[in-house]
Amino acid sequence: KCRTGPLDIVFVIDSSRSVRPFEFEIMRQFMMDIIGSLDVGPNATRVGVIQYSSQVQNIFSLKTFFTRADMEKAINSIIPLAQGTMTGLAIQYAMNVAFTTQEGARPPHKKIPRIAIIVTDGRPQDRVTEVATQARNAGIEIYAVGIQRADMNSLRAMASPPLEEHVFLVESFELIQQFGKQFQDKLCGVDLCVEQDHGCQHSCVSTPGSFYCECNPGYRLNVDGKTCSPIDVCADGRHGCQHQCVNTRGSYLCRCRAGYYLNQDKRSCTMIDYCSFGNHSCQHECVSIPNGHYCRCRSGFTLQPDSRSCMATDLCNGVDHGCEFKCMSTEGSYRCVCPEGQQLQADGKACSKCGAGHVDLVMVIDGSKSVRPQNFELVKQFVNRIVDLLEVSPHGTRVGLVQYSSRVRTEFPLNKYHSADEIKKAVMEVEYMEKGTMTGLALKHMVEHSFSELEGARPLSHNVPRIGFVFTDGRSQDDISEWARRAKESGIVMFAVGVGKAVEEELRAIASEPVEQHFSYSADFTTMTHLVENFKLNICPEEGKGEMEIRSPCECEALVQFQTNTVAILQSLTEKNILWARSLAQMTARLEDLEKQIAKKK
């Protein structure tokens, strides 16, 4: 057996048609004789076999078998290709495939010799010089064995130097077995690790005609090529320990700082969760820290001297709350409140009357053909009267305007104008659209666009009321129910105002609850001024306390009521006049009696 240490050997066997069957059987035996002299195994010598003719066939690779029995069985099952002689192609395959780490060759840094044994009986039909040079430069040691009709020049072109040790020409197939024994001696040579004092501190590895020293795991070979030094794995920074690296003999281990434990990957560390032990006694929250824990209270609570229990903090007394009227403490927080009749501003601190409150108001006006141009001008005046009720400013009330007919158009969004004068001027410049009445489409536009933060609506978290005001004079040509519902579900307070032929059922569907306070109707455009006051009373209910409900003086019920009230007042005045007349007559009679009595006394 070879005692030269591990090798990576690939047999490159010519199976062209010139090799007769009994001759190929001799080549099989030649390979098995060589393998029989080797110490094969995953950590010893590895063997691969390829055959070639006009093409290359891999019989088994360096990683396929690790016992001689398996290798011999595979060799005995080879079926010759019996075609041409493409030796250069076979060398290229050996270099690019057979001797790769993917096919089982050991990495170059392990210094395992790579040996190709080419056995051929003829002249190559392709070029071998260039590809053989590339293979040798890649670290492959090539033995060229020619039999009988082989071309000596081709053999010399393929083989590694020195040629006298790597080129062999056997006169006949019958002599190849005898040559095999000589080749074994050439391949194996003398085991210098045994025959001489190698001087390696740890271990000696034999190679054909030479040897080299190796160190045990955890050590590196010194520059003298013989002695070894411990590798300081922790020093080179590649250990991967999260906290601390501790060198051991030939290796290392990771260690965690106090208060942490080592994870299963033996590198990373996790802080010990002392709170999970269940004995912290914290009333609110337990916070783990290295080597212990501490108790923490929720926001608005103060940790007591026992470092465990918590007590609510009166933030109204403990912080500069900034409430204009009154601060009310809640659990862990506080809130500002305003007196009756005033509402809290967007800053959550200041108070103001409803007329000066913060509102995001979008008015959606009907610009369909049925409105007619002269009435559309009245609608614009109506809009401006509503604007007069509001304190418009960037931080106060914001107003947007949408007009619709068969399509929808934003005349100006909530963030366009910052004063009432600017809005009123813009309203008067709005152009009449005409065409159809797509109220449902207008409601969809209002929900999806007009009340978006992009168009100036304040975030819902600011608690600024969102009011939608829909003005129409007729029946919608599309469905309004879905988007009326979505508008109210999204927090928009909906007011519906109808004029003329507006459908009460649709107005009620648009209006928020209670419906009676959120929808109004006027018989025609010229008598709708009273709707402004109704709108004012409904968005600022405290301003209407103690006052009579205002109705259109032209409505039938109002006329009847007016007549009834007038008659009652006239009757009251008549009764009072009768009483005054009776009293006056009685007084006159008494005066006459007094005058008579005075006259008698004289």
Side-chain angles (χ1 to χ4, degrees):
K1 295 292 188 294
C2 279
R3 294 177 294 171
T4 57
L7 303 171
D8 285 343
I9 298 177
V10 174
F11 288 94
V12 183
I13 303 301
D14 180 357
S15 66
S16 60
R17 65 174 63 92
S18 63
V19 179
R20 288 170 289 187
F22 79 91
E23 294 174 337
F24 193 81
E25 294 303 319
I26 296 173
M27 293 176 68
R28 289 187 209 266
Q29 191 60 48
F30 167 73
M31 287 188 286
M32 291 189 288
D33 289 344
I34 298 295
I35 293 172
S37 67
L38 301 173
D39 181 18
V40 296
N43 298 317
T45 294
R46 298 183 182 182
V47 179
V49 176
I50 61 176
Q51 69 166 332
Y52 73 95
S53 60
S54 298
Q55 59 186 2
V56 181
Q57 181 185 31
N58 180 51
I59 304 303
F60 58 86
S61 63
L62 293 168
K63 66 179 180 180
T64 306
F65 301 124
F66 297 114
T67 66
R68 283 186 295 276
D70 289 336
M71 294 177 186
E72 291 176 359
K73 183 178 179 181
I75 291 172
N76 283 323
S77 66
I78 298 174
I79 299 175
L81 299 173
Q83 296 174 353
T85 310
M86 304 294 286
T87 310
L89 181 64
I91 296 173
Q92 187 174 28
Y93 180 90
M95 175 178 63
N96 295 338
V97 179
F99 280 109
T100 61
T101 55
Q102 290 84 353
E103 290 297 308
R106 265 70 66 95
H109 72 270
K110 291 197 172 183
K111 300 179 182 180
I112 305 296
R114 295 181 175 183
I115 298 174
I117 303 174
I118 303 174
V119 183
T120 179
D121 79 327
R123 182 189 299 273
Q125 295 176 339
D126 58 354
R127 296 181 179 180
V128 297
T129 304
E130 183 178 349
V131 69
T133 301
Q134 293 175 357
R136 294 193 300 267
N137 292 338
I140 301 173
E141 185 176 3
I142 300 177
Y143 288 86
V145 180
I147 303 175
Q148 202 168 347
R149 300 171 294 275
D151 178 58
M152 176 58 75
N153 290 331
S154 298
L155 298 176
R156 295 173 65 87
M158 292 186 288
S160 297
L163 297 179
E164 60 271 16
E165 296 183 7
H166 293 82
V167 177
F168 304 93
L169 183 60
V170 183
E171 294 180 359
S172 67
F173 280 93
E174 290 79 4
L175 298 175
I176 194 171
Q177 284 183 297
Q178 183 179 351
F179 160 75
K181 297 177 181 179
Q182 298 174 0
F183 185 76
Q184 292 172 20
D185 295 337
K186 180 64 68 175
L187 186 63
C188 296
V190 178
D191 188 349
L192 295 178
C193 288
V194 177
E195 300 297 332
Q196 68 180 41
D197 183 13
H198 51 75
C200 297
Q201 181 179 354
H202 285 182
S203 59
C204 175
V205 180
S206 291
T207 61
S210 184
F211 71 93
Y212 64 89
C213 297
E214 273 192 350
C215 297
N216 296 335
Y219 292 81
R220 65 165 58 92
L221 194 65
N222 294 328
V223 292
D224 61 6
K226 296 182 180 294
T227 60
C228 302
S229 298
I231 299 173
D232 187 355
V233 181
C234 296
D236 64 14
R238 294 180 296 177
H239 51 77
C241 297
Q242 183 178 354
H243 284 182
Q244 301 169 354
C245 177
V246 180
N247 280 303
T248 61
R249 186 172 181 177
S251 186
Y252 72 97
L253 58 85
C254 297
R255 181 182 297 165
C256 297
R257 295 192 295 268
Y260 294 79
Y261 63 87
L262 194 66
N263 294 323
Q264 290 184 350
D265 60 8
K266 302 301 181 183
R267 285 177 170 80
S268 60
C269 300
T270 299
M271 188 174 68
I272 299 172
D273 185 4
Y274 290 96
C275 293
S276 65
F277 297 164
N279 58 354
H280 51 75
S281 302
C282 299
Q283 183 178 351
H284 283 184
E285 300 172 1
C286 175
V287 181
S288 289
I289 57 174
N291 296 324
H293 73 280
Y294 68 90
C295 296
R296 181 173 62 193
C297 297
R298 293 192 294 271
S299 176
F301 292 81
T302 303
L303 192 66
Q304 298 304 294
D306 62 3
S307 299
R308 288 180 172 81
S309 56
C310 302
M311 182 175 291
T313 303
D314 186 358
L315 294 179
C316 288
N317 294 327
V319 298
D320 182 15
H321 52 76
C323 297
E324 179 181 335
F325 177 68
K326 184 179 180 181
C327 174
M328 293 187 65
S329 290
T330 59
E331 183 175 328
S333 185
Y334 70 92
R335 63 184 179 90
C336 298
V337 296
C338 294
E340 185 178 359
Q342 298 186 27
Q343 62 180 186
L344 198 63
Q345 299 296 287
D347 61 3
K349 300 179 183 296
C351 301
S352 70
K353 293 183 179 179
C354 179
H358 295 179
V359 171
D360 284 344
L361 171 64
V362 175
M363 289 184 275
V364 182
I365 59 174
D366 184 349
S368 62
K369 182 184 291 187
S370 61
V371 175
R372 297 199 295 272
Q374 64 271 25
N375 289 333
F376 190 73
E377 293 303 312
L378 295 176
V379 172
K380 294 196 289 187
Q381 295 175 17
F382 175 79
V383 169
N384 280 345
R385 286 176 182 167
I386 292 177
V387 174
D388 286 335
L389 298 175
L390 310 170
E391 292 188 6
V392 179
S393 70
H395 302 292
T397 292
R398 298 181 184 179
V399 178
L401 182 64
V402 173
Q403 183 186 175
Y404 74 96
S405 59
S406 297
R407 56 190 178 88
V408 184
R409 182 173 71 202
T410 298
E411 301 296 351
F412 52 84
L414 289 165
N415 55 5
K416 178 73 172 178
Y417 300 114
H418 306 309
S419 70
D421 290 338
E422 289 178 309
I423 293 175
K424 292 167 68 176
K425 182 175 181 295
V427 169
M428 297 310 297
E429 293 174 353
V430 170
E431 295 183 0
Y432 179 37
M433 292 176 71
E434 295 189 306
K435 297 189 179 179
T437 309
M438 303 294 284
T439 311
L441 183 64
L443 290 170
K444 180 178 185 293
H445 180 89
M446 178 195 71
V447 173
E448 293 184 340
H449 301 286
S450 302
F451 281 106
S452 66
E453 294 183 28
L454 183 65
E455 294 201 1
R458 265 74 63 99
L460 293 173
S461 59
H462 288 188
N463 296 320
V464 177
R466 293 182 174 183
I467 297 178
F469 185 95
V470 180
F471 185 98
T472 183
D473 83 322
R475 182 184 296 275
S476 176
Q477 294 173 341
D478 61 351
D479 180 62
I480 64 150
S481 59
E482 178 182 357
W483 286 101
R485 175 181 56 79
R486 289 197 188 187
K488 289 176 279 190
E489 288 177 352
S490 65
I492 303 172
V493 179
M494 295 298 300
F495 287 84
V497 174
V499 178
K501 295 181 180 180
V503 179
E504 180 179 346
E505 180 182 355
E506 291 185 354
L507 297 176
R508 288 180 173 274
I510 295 171
S512 293
E513 295 289 342
V515 173
E516 299 302 330
Q517 294 182 13
H518 293 85
F519 107 94
S520 303
Y521 173 79
S522 181
D524 59 62
F525 289 88
T526 58
T527 61
M528 64 183 183
T529 55
H530 70 285
L531 301 179
V532 176
E533 288 300 322
N534 283 358
F535 179 68
K536 178 181 178 181
L537 291 173
N538 285 321
I539 64 170
C540 303
E542 69 276 0
E543 295 189 7
K545 289 180 179 178
E547 296 184 10
M548 292 177 60
E549 180 184 3
I550 299 175
R551 294 183 176 178
S552 170
C554 297
E555 291 183 2
C556 181
E557 291 182 4
L559 291 174
V560 173
Q561 184 66 45
F562 174 78
Q563 182 178 3
T564 302
N565 292 343
T566 303
V567 170
I569 292 172
L570 289 175
Q571 289 178 346
S572 175
L573 290 174
T574 301
E575 291 175 355
K576 290 180 179 178
N577 287 336
I578 293 173
L579 291 174
W580 274 104
R582 289 177 180 175
S583 298
L584 182 60
Q586 292 175 353
M587 292 180 66
T588 301
R590 290 184 64 185
L591 287 173
E592 290 176 354
D593 291 340
L594 288 173
E595 287 177 353
K596 290 178 180 180
Q597 292 177 5
I598 292 171
K600 288 179 179 180
K601 289 181 178 179
K602 291 181 177 181

